[in-house]
mmCIF file of all heavy atoms in Angstrom:
data_model
loop_
_atom_site.group_PDB
_atom_site.id
_atom_site.type_symbol
_atom_site.label_atom_id
_atom_site.label_comp_id
_atom_site.label_asym_id
_atom_site.label_seq_id
_atom_site.Cartn_x
_atom_site.Cartn_y
_atom_site.Cartn_z
ATOM 1 N N ARG A 1 63.445 34.650 -37.755
ATOM 2 C CA ARG A 1 63.996 35.815 -38.373
ATOM 3 C C ARG A 1 63.581 37.110 -37.718
ATOM 4 O O ARG A 1 63.923 38.121 -38.223
ATOM 5 C CB ARG A 1 63.791 35.905 -39.877
ATOM 6 C CG ARG A 1 64.426 34.662 -40.648
ATOM 7 C CD ARG A 1 64.268 34.772 -42.195
ATOM 8 N NE ARG A 1 64.852 33.548 -42.783
ATOM 9 C CZ ARG A 1 66.188 33.452 -42.963
ATOM 10 N NH1 ARG A 1 67.025 34.433 -42.671
ATOM 11 N NH2 ARG A 1 66.560 32.426 -43.632
ATOM 12 N N MET A 2 62.818 36.959 -36.716
ATOM 13 C CA MET A 2 62.365 38.205 -35.958
ATOM 14 C C MET A 2 63.137 38.292 -34.672
ATOM 15 O O MET A 2 63.777 37.309 -34.168
ATOM 16 C CB MET A 2 60.814 38.133 -35.682
ATOM 17 C CG MET A 2 60.054 38.248 -36.956
ATOM 18 S SD MET A 2 58.224 37.794 -36.679
ATOM 19 C CE MET A 2 57.818 39.168 -35.606
ATOM 20 N N THR A 3 63.105 39.484 -34.068
ATOM 21 C CA THR A 3 63.858 39.604 -32.818
ATOM 22 C C THR A 3 63.026 39.051 -31.581
ATOM 23 O O THR A 3 61.907 38.666 -31.740
ATOM 24 C CB THR A 3 64.166 41.116 -32.416
ATOM 25 O OG1 THR A 3 62.808 41.748 -32.248
ATOM 26 C CG2 THR A 3 64.816 41.811 -33.546
ATOM 27 N N VAL A 4 63.633 38.955 -30.483
ATOM 28 C CA VAL A 4 63.003 38.409 -29.309
ATOM 29 C C VAL A 4 61.711 39.256 -28.989
ATOM 30 O O VAL A 4 60.625 38.818 -28.727
ATOM 31 C CB VAL A 4 63.974 38.395 -28.108
ATOM 32 C CG1 VAL A 4 63.223 38.216 -26.771
ATOM 33 C CG2 VAL A 4 65.007 37.265 -28.271
ATOM 34 N N LEU A 5 61.961 40.592 -28.973
ATOM 35 C CA LEU A 5 60.843 41.537 -28.729
ATOM 36 C C LEU A 5 59.741 41.375 -29.715
ATOM 37 O O LEU A 5 58.512 41.246 -29.315
ATOM 38 C CB LEU A 5 61.345 43.015 -28.690
ATOM 39 C CG LEU A 5 60.355 44.040 -28.285
ATOM 40 C CD1 LEU A 5 59.964 43.855 -26.856
ATOM 41 C CD2 LEU A 5 60.886 45.487 -28.583
ATOM 42 N N GLU A 6 60.082 41.316 -30.990
ATOM 43 C CA GLU A 6 59.052 41.159 -31.996
ATOM 44 C C GLU A 6 58.190 39.846 -31.792
ATOM 45 O O GLU A 6 56.965 39.880 -32.011
ATOM 46 C CB GLU A 6 59.667 41.153 -33.365
ATOM 47 C CG GLU A 6 60.103 42.589 -33.788
ATOM 48 C CD GLU A 6 61.080 42.627 -35.002
ATOM 49 O OE1 GLU A 6 61.458 41.484 -35.441
ATOM 50 O OE2 GLU A 6 61.304 43.739 -35.520
ATOM 51 N N ASN A 7 58.925 38.725 -31.401
ATOM 52 C CA ASN A 7 58.205 37.508 -31.244
ATOM 53 C C ASN A 7 57.160 37.599 -30.055
ATOM 54 O O ASN A 7 56.062 37.005 -30.150
ATOM 55 C CB ASN A 7 59.165 36.390 -30.961
ATOM 56 C CG ASN A 7 59.618 35.629 -32.131
ATOM 57 O OD1 ASN A 7 58.925 34.775 -32.519
ATOM 58 N ND2 ASN A 7 60.797 36.035 -32.709
ATOM 59 N N VAL A 8 57.567 38.350 -29.044
ATOM 60 C CA VAL A 8 56.651 38.543 -27.928
ATOM 61 C C VAL A 8 55.502 39.414 -28.361
ATOM 62 O O VAL A 8 54.306 39.203 -27.980
ATOM 63 C CB VAL A 8 57.362 39.186 -26.680
ATOM 64 C CG1 VAL A 8 56.414 39.468 -25.528
ATOM 65 C CG2 VAL A 8 58.485 38.173 -26.196
ATOM 66 N N MET A 9 55.713 40.456 -29.184
ATOM 67 C CA MET A 9 54.705 41.370 -29.593
ATOM 68 C C MET A 9 53.606 40.537 -30.433
ATOM 69 O O MET A 9 52.465 40.986 -30.423
ATOM 70 C CB MET A 9 55.248 42.476 -30.411
ATOM 71 C CG MET A 9 56.113 43.457 -29.518
ATOM 72 S SD MET A 9 56.982 44.689 -30.541
ATOM 73 C CE MET A 9 55.638 45.568 -31.328
ATOM 74 N N VAL A 10 54.060 39.602 -31.176
ATOM 75 C CA VAL A 10 53.158 38.816 -31.925
ATOM 76 C C VAL A 10 51.984 38.232 -31.215
ATOM 77 O O VAL A 10 50.814 38.066 -31.521
ATOM 78 C CB VAL A 10 53.842 37.629 -32.672
ATOM 79 C CG1 VAL A 10 52.888 36.626 -33.347
ATOM 80 C CG2 VAL A 10 54.731 38.229 -33.860
ATOM 81 N N GLY A 11 52.354 37.808 -29.915
ATOM 82 C CA GLY A 11 51.359 37.349 -28.987
ATOM 83 C C GLY A 11 50.297 38.265 -28.575
ATOM 84 O O GLY A 11 49.254 37.977 -27.996
ATOM 85 N N LEU A 12 50.435 39.630 -28.996
ATOM 86 C CA LEU A 12 49.537 40.630 -28.547
ATOM 87 C C LEU A 12 48.577 41.074 -29.704
ATOM 88 O O LEU A 12 47.749 41.915 -29.553
ATOM 89 C CB LEU A 12 50.309 41.849 -28.021
ATOM 90 C CG LEU A 12 51.060 41.627 -26.798
ATOM 91 C CD1 LEU A 12 52.004 42.800 -26.501
ATOM 92 C CD2 LEU A 12 50.137 41.502 -25.598
ATOM 93 N N HIS A 13 48.806 40.437 -30.882
ATOM 94 C CA HIS A 13 48.097 41.072 -32.031
ATOM 95 C C HIS A 13 46.648 40.896 -32.017
ATOM 96 O O HIS A 13 45.922 41.598 -32.717
ATOM 97 C CB HIS A 13 48.650 40.456 -33.344
ATOM 98 C CG HIS A 13 48.212 39.088 -33.723
ATOM 99 N ND1 HIS A 13 48.767 37.939 -33.123
ATOM 100 C CD2 HIS A 13 47.275 38.634 -34.486
ATOM 101 C CE1 HIS A 13 48.147 36.903 -33.531
ATOM 102 N NE2 HIS A 13 47.218 37.253 -34.384
ATOM 103 N N THR A 14 46.086 39.963 -31.263
ATOM 104 C CA THR A 14 44.662 39.859 -31.156
ATOM 105 C C THR A 14 44.010 40.716 -30.077
ATOM 106 O O THR A 14 42.810 40.892 -29.971
ATOM 107 C CB THR A 14 44.215 38.386 -30.834
ATOM 108 O OG1 THR A 14 44.791 38.080 -29.578
ATOM 109 C CG2 THR A 14 44.731 37.445 -31.911
ATOM 110 N N GLN A 15 44.872 41.349 -29.230
ATOM 111 C CA GLN A 15 44.421 42.129 -28.087
ATOM 112 C C GLN A 15 44.557 43.646 -28.356
ATOM 113 O O GLN A 15 43.797 44.346 -27.641
ATOM 114 C CB GLN A 15 45.074 41.677 -26.832
ATOM 115 C CG GLN A 15 44.704 40.292 -26.430
ATOM 116 C CD GLN A 15 45.124 40.104 -25.015
ATOM 117 O OE1 GLN A 15 46.069 40.595 -24.498
ATOM 118 N NE2 GLN A 15 44.371 39.191 -24.294
ATOM 119 N N ILE A 16 45.507 44.097 -29.105
ATOM 120 C CA ILE A 16 45.699 45.470 -29.331
ATOM 121 C C ILE A 16 44.730 46.036 -30.342
ATOM 122 O O ILE A 16 44.829 45.657 -31.459
ATOM 123 C CB ILE A 16 47.160 45.810 -29.689
ATOM 124 C CG1 ILE A 16 48.079 45.288 -28.696
ATOM 125 C CG2 ILE A 16 47.302 47.314 -29.867
ATOM 126 C CD1 ILE A 16 48.064 45.889 -27.277
ATOM 127 N N HIS A 17 43.750 46.769 -29.964
ATOM 128 C CA HIS A 17 42.712 47.189 -30.879
ATOM 129 C C HIS A 17 43.022 48.689 -31.366
ATOM 130 O O HIS A 17 42.976 49.595 -30.608
ATOM 131 C CB HIS A 17 41.302 47.123 -30.251
ATOM 132 C CG HIS A 17 41.037 45.756 -29.763
ATOM 133 N ND1 HIS A 17 40.662 44.747 -30.649
ATOM 134 C CD2 HIS A 17 40.971 45.241 -28.517
ATOM 135 C CE1 HIS A 17 40.451 43.615 -29.916
ATOM 136 N NE2 HIS A 17 40.601 43.908 -28.670
ATOM 137 N N ALA A 18 43.251 48.762 -32.633
ATOM 138 C CA ALA A 18 43.420 50.058 -33.205
ATOM 139 C C ALA A 18 43.262 49.956 -34.787
ATOM 140 O O ALA A 18 43.482 48.907 -35.275
ATOM 141 C CB ALA A 18 44.921 50.635 -32.959
ATOM 142 N N PRO A 19 42.794 50.991 -35.407
ATOM 143 C CA PRO A 19 42.479 50.945 -36.838
ATOM 144 C C PRO A 19 43.782 50.499 -37.614
ATOM 145 O O PRO A 19 44.939 51.075 -37.373
ATOM 146 C CB PRO A 19 42.135 52.376 -37.224
ATOM 147 C CG PRO A 19 41.542 52.993 -35.929
ATOM 148 C CD PRO A 19 42.416 52.318 -34.867
ATOM 149 N N GLY A 20 43.691 49.480 -38.373
ATOM 150 C CA GLY A 20 44.764 49.028 -39.134
ATOM 151 C C GLY A 20 45.877 48.209 -38.477
ATOM 152 O O GLY A 20 46.790 47.773 -39.007
ATOM 153 N N TYR A 21 45.653 47.964 -37.095
ATOM 154 C CA TYR A 21 46.657 47.232 -36.375
ATOM 155 C C TYR A 21 46.518 45.718 -36.778
ATOM 156 O O TYR A 21 45.485 45.100 -36.813
ATOM 157 C CB TYR A 21 46.500 47.320 -34.848
ATOM 158 C CG TYR A 21 47.582 46.579 -34.075
ATOM 159 C CD1 TYR A 21 48.752 47.204 -33.880
ATOM 160 C CD2 TYR A 21 47.370 45.283 -33.696
ATOM 161 C CE1 TYR A 21 49.846 46.550 -33.270
ATOM 162 C CE2 TYR A 21 48.337 44.606 -32.953
ATOM 163 C CZ TYR A 21 49.578 45.274 -32.825
ATOM 164 O OH TYR A 21 50.574 44.563 -32.177
ATOM 165 N N MET A 22 47.672 45.154 -37.043
ATOM 166 C CA MET A 22 47.729 43.624 -37.429
ATOM 167 C C MET A 22 49.150 43.192 -37.128
ATOM 168 O O MET A 22 49.947 43.868 -36.594
ATOM 169 C CB MET A 22 47.315 43.505 -38.900
ATOM 170 C CG MET A 22 48.292 44.218 -39.877
ATOM 171 S SD MET A 22 47.761 44.092 -41.557
ATOM 172 C CE MET A 22 46.330 45.154 -41.503
ATOM 173 N N LEU A 23 49.344 41.963 -37.501
ATOM 174 C CA LEU A 23 50.659 41.330 -37.237
ATOM 175 C C LEU A 23 51.832 42.190 -37.808
ATOM 176 O O LEU A 23 52.865 42.294 -37.199
ATOM 177 C CB LEU A 23 50.722 39.967 -37.945
ATOM 178 C CG LEU A 23 51.923 39.144 -37.804
ATOM 179 C CD1 LEU A 23 52.272 38.920 -36.328
ATOM 180 C CD2 LEU A 23 51.887 37.861 -38.521
ATOM 181 N N GLY A 24 51.534 42.922 -38.905
ATOM 182 C CA GLY A 24 52.578 43.706 -39.562
ATOM 183 C C GLY A 24 53.146 44.764 -38.589
ATOM 184 O O GLY A 24 54.205 45.128 -38.676
ATOM 185 N N SER A 25 52.394 45.250 -37.580
ATOM 186 C CA SER A 25 52.760 46.272 -36.732
ATOM 187 C C SER A 25 53.884 45.791 -35.796
ATOM 188 O O SER A 25 54.741 46.562 -35.375
ATOM 189 C CB SER A 25 51.671 46.751 -35.821
ATOM 190 O OG SER A 25 51.262 45.729 -34.932
ATOM 191 N N ALA A 26 53.993 44.497 -35.663
ATOM 192 C CA ALA A 26 55.062 43.887 -34.873
ATOM 193 C C ALA A 26 56.419 43.912 -35.600
ATOM 194 O O ALA A 26 57.457 43.778 -34.933
ATOM 195 C CB ALA A 26 54.776 42.454 -34.464
ATOM 196 N N ILE A 27 56.439 44.278 -36.855
ATOM 197 C CA ILE A 27 57.701 44.319 -37.563
ATOM 198 C C ILE A 27 57.998 45.722 -38.117
ATOM 199 O O ILE A 27 58.688 45.854 -39.145
ATOM 200 C CB ILE A 27 57.783 43.291 -38.723
ATOM 201 C CG1 ILE A 27 56.540 43.406 -39.657
ATOM 202 C CG2 ILE A 27 57.749 41.833 -38.122
ATOM 203 C CD1 ILE A 27 56.637 42.493 -40.848
ATOM 204 N N GLY A 28 57.554 46.729 -37.439
ATOM 205 C CA GLY A 28 58.007 48.025 -37.689
ATOM 206 C C GLY A 28 56.941 49.074 -38.156
ATOM 207 O O GLY A 28 57.390 50.214 -38.429
ATOM 208 N N ILE A 29 55.731 48.788 -38.377
ATOM 209 C CA ILE A 29 54.813 49.838 -38.653
ATOM 210 C C ILE A 29 54.420 50.627 -37.411
ATOM 211 O O ILE A 29 54.136 49.982 -36.424
ATOM 212 C CB ILE A 29 53.485 49.181 -39.260
ATOM 213 C CG1 ILE A 29 53.827 48.393 -40.590
ATOM 214 C CG2 ILE A 29 52.426 50.222 -39.551
ATOM 215 C CD1 ILE A 29 52.697 47.602 -41.107
ATOM 216 N N GLY A 30 54.676 51.912 -37.400
ATOM 217 C CA GLY A 30 54.514 52.725 -36.206
ATOM 218 C C GLY A 30 53.144 52.893 -35.729
ATOM 219 O O GLY A 30 52.086 52.356 -36.225
ATOM 220 N N GLY A 31 52.940 53.819 -34.620
ATOM 221 C CA GLY A 31 51.682 54.105 -34.183
ATOM 222 C C GLY A 31 51.502 53.780 -32.733
ATOM 223 O O GLY A 31 52.288 53.045 -32.124
ATOM 224 N N LYS A 32 50.398 54.327 -32.189
ATOM 225 C CA LYS A 32 50.154 54.183 -30.758
ATOM 226 C C LYS A 32 49.967 52.651 -30.375
ATOM 227 O O LYS A 32 50.456 52.214 -29.280
ATOM 228 C CB LYS A 32 48.862 54.909 -30.444
ATOM 229 C CG LYS A 32 48.441 54.850 -28.931
ATOM 230 C CD LYS A 32 47.252 55.677 -28.731
ATOM 231 C CE LYS A 32 46.887 55.767 -27.251
ATOM 232 N NZ LYS A 32 45.693 56.576 -26.934
ATOM 233 N N ALA A 33 49.305 51.930 -31.256
ATOM 234 C CA ALA A 33 49.068 50.446 -30.890
ATOM 235 C C ALA A 33 50.423 49.725 -30.832
ATOM 236 O O ALA A 33 50.656 48.893 -29.903
ATOM 237 C CB ALA A 33 48.261 49.846 -31.978
ATOM 238 N N GLU A 34 51.344 49.948 -31.768
ATOM 239 C CA GLU A 34 52.640 49.323 -31.678
ATOM 240 C C GLU A 34 53.390 49.708 -30.460
ATOM 241 O O GLU A 34 54.070 48.903 -29.790
ATOM 242 C CB GLU A 34 53.488 49.659 -32.935
ATOM 243 C CG GLU A 34 54.841 48.838 -32.954
ATOM 244 C CD GLU A 34 55.749 49.340 -34.054
ATOM 245 O OE1 GLU A 34 55.350 50.126 -34.851
ATOM 246 O OE2 GLU A 34 56.929 48.833 -33.963
ATOM 247 N N ARG A 35 53.313 50.948 -30.039
ATOM 248 C CA ARG A 35 54.116 51.487 -28.870
ATOM 249 C C ARG A 35 53.489 50.732 -27.631
ATOM 250 O O ARG A 35 54.332 50.397 -26.708
ATOM 251 C CB ARG A 35 53.994 52.966 -28.716
ATOM 252 C CG ARG A 35 54.786 53.765 -29.816
ATOM 253 C CD ARG A 35 54.948 55.200 -29.410
ATOM 254 N NE ARG A 35 53.652 55.875 -29.373
ATOM 255 C CZ ARG A 35 52.991 56.468 -30.424
ATOM 256 N NH1 ARG A 35 53.660 56.409 -31.607
ATOM 257 N NH2 ARG A 35 51.867 57.053 -30.343
ATOM 258 N N ALA A 36 52.224 50.571 -27.553
ATOM 259 C CA ALA A 36 51.633 49.894 -26.421
ATOM 260 C C ALA A 36 52.025 48.458 -26.368
ATOM 261 O O ALA A 36 52.367 47.935 -25.314
ATOM 262 C CB ALA A 36 50.121 49.977 -26.517
ATOM 263 N N ALA A 37 52.099 47.772 -27.559
ATOM 264 C CA ALA A 37 52.497 46.409 -27.624
ATOM 265 C C ALA A 37 53.939 46.220 -27.315
ATOM 266 O O ALA A 37 54.311 45.361 -26.543
ATOM 267 C CB ALA A 37 52.211 45.875 -29.068
ATOM 268 N N ARG A 38 54.783 47.168 -27.728
ATOM 269 C CA ARG A 38 56.184 47.151 -27.453
ATOM 270 C C ARG A 38 56.468 47.218 -25.921
ATOM 271 O O ARG A 38 57.251 46.505 -25.399
ATOM 272 C CB ARG A 38 56.896 48.234 -28.236
ATOM 273 C CG ARG A 38 58.362 48.094 -28.284
ATOM 274 C CD ARG A 38 59.021 49.136 -29.192
ATOM 275 N NE ARG A 38 58.668 48.858 -30.620
ATOM 276 C CZ ARG A 38 59.285 48.052 -31.427
ATOM 277 N NH1 ARG A 38 60.369 47.433 -30.976
ATOM 278 N NH2 ARG A 38 58.828 47.909 -32.673
ATOM 279 N N GLU A 39 55.747 48.176 -25.274
ATOM 280 C CA GLU A 39 55.914 48.295 -23.902
ATOM 281 C C GLU A 39 55.498 47.032 -23.122
ATOM 282 O O GLU A 39 56.217 46.641 -22.128
ATOM 283 C CB GLU A 39 55.085 49.541 -23.410
ATOM 284 C CG GLU A 39 55.219 49.800 -21.904
ATOM 285 C CD GLU A 39 54.443 50.958 -21.484
ATOM 286 O OE1 GLU A 39 53.891 51.744 -22.307
ATOM 287 O OE2 GLU A 39 54.301 51.262 -20.241
ATOM 288 N N ARG A 40 54.328 46.488 -23.418
ATOM 289 C CA ARG A 40 53.994 45.373 -22.778
ATOM 290 C C ARG A 40 54.860 44.059 -23.009
ATOM 291 O O ARG A 40 55.076 43.305 -22.128
ATOM 292 C CB ARG A 40 52.538 44.994 -23.201
ATOM 293 C CG ARG A 40 51.504 45.835 -22.509
ATOM 294 C CD ARG A 40 50.045 45.561 -23.048
ATOM 295 N NE ARG A 40 49.619 44.309 -22.953
ATOM 296 C CZ ARG A 40 48.415 43.885 -23.213
ATOM 297 N NH1 ARG A 40 47.488 44.725 -23.627
ATOM 298 N NH2 ARG A 40 47.989 42.640 -23.016
ATOM 299 N N ALA A 41 55.433 44.090 -24.268
ATOM 300 C CA ALA A 41 56.390 42.950 -24.540
ATOM 301 C C ALA A 41 57.641 43.014 -23.723
ATOM 302 O O ALA A 41 58.232 42.177 -23.207
ATOM 303 C CB ALA A 41 56.684 43.021 -26.036
ATOM 304 N N ARG A 42 58.110 44.334 -23.550
ATOM 305 C CA ARG A 42 59.321 44.572 -22.793
ATOM 306 C C ARG A 42 59.031 44.132 -21.265
ATOM 307 O O ARG A 42 60.001 43.639 -20.596
ATOM 308 C CB ARG A 42 59.767 46.013 -22.904
ATOM 309 C CG ARG A 42 60.390 46.325 -24.200
ATOM 310 C CD ARG A 42 61.117 47.573 -24.190
ATOM 311 N NE ARG A 42 61.685 48.009 -25.558
ATOM 312 C CZ ARG A 42 62.706 47.439 -26.202
ATOM 313 N NH1 ARG A 42 63.367 46.520 -25.539
ATOM 314 N NH2 ARG A 42 63.129 47.848 -27.371
ATOM 315 N N GLU A 43 57.827 44.567 -20.829
ATOM 316 C CA GLU A 43 57.463 44.244 -19.406
ATOM 317 C C GLU A 43 57.545 42.661 -19.224
ATOM 318 O O GLU A 43 57.999 42.122 -18.244
ATOM 319 C CB GLU A 43 56.086 44.733 -19.100
ATOM 320 C CG GLU A 43 56.067 46.151 -18.925
ATOM 321 C CD GLU A 43 54.575 46.660 -18.706
ATOM 322 O OE1 GLU A 43 53.671 45.881 -18.757
ATOM 323 O OE2 GLU A 43 54.432 47.880 -18.514
#
């Protein structure tokens, strides 16, 4: 039920270190960590 991009972002949740960053950021919680994860997922 997640998008292709979101599925790829899930693979980054143990590596993106930021206060409050967790799996939930992959499904729409904003912030610098999510933007970094989104960029790496698109790459």
Side-chain angles (χ1 to χ4, degrees):
R1 298 188 181 278
M2 294 170 65
T3 67
V4 167
L5 183 68
E6 288 167 349
N7 268 279
V8 176
M9 290 172 67
V10 167
L12 296 167
H13 78 277
T14 62
Q15 290 194 332
I16 303 296
H17 301 289
Y21 183 83
M22 60 184 72
L23 180 59
S25 67
I27 55 174
I29 299 173
K32 184 177 181 180
E34 184 190 352
R35 289 194 296 273
R38 192 172 294 273
E39 181 178 350
R40 282 174 58 175
R42 290 195 185 280
E43 289 174 358

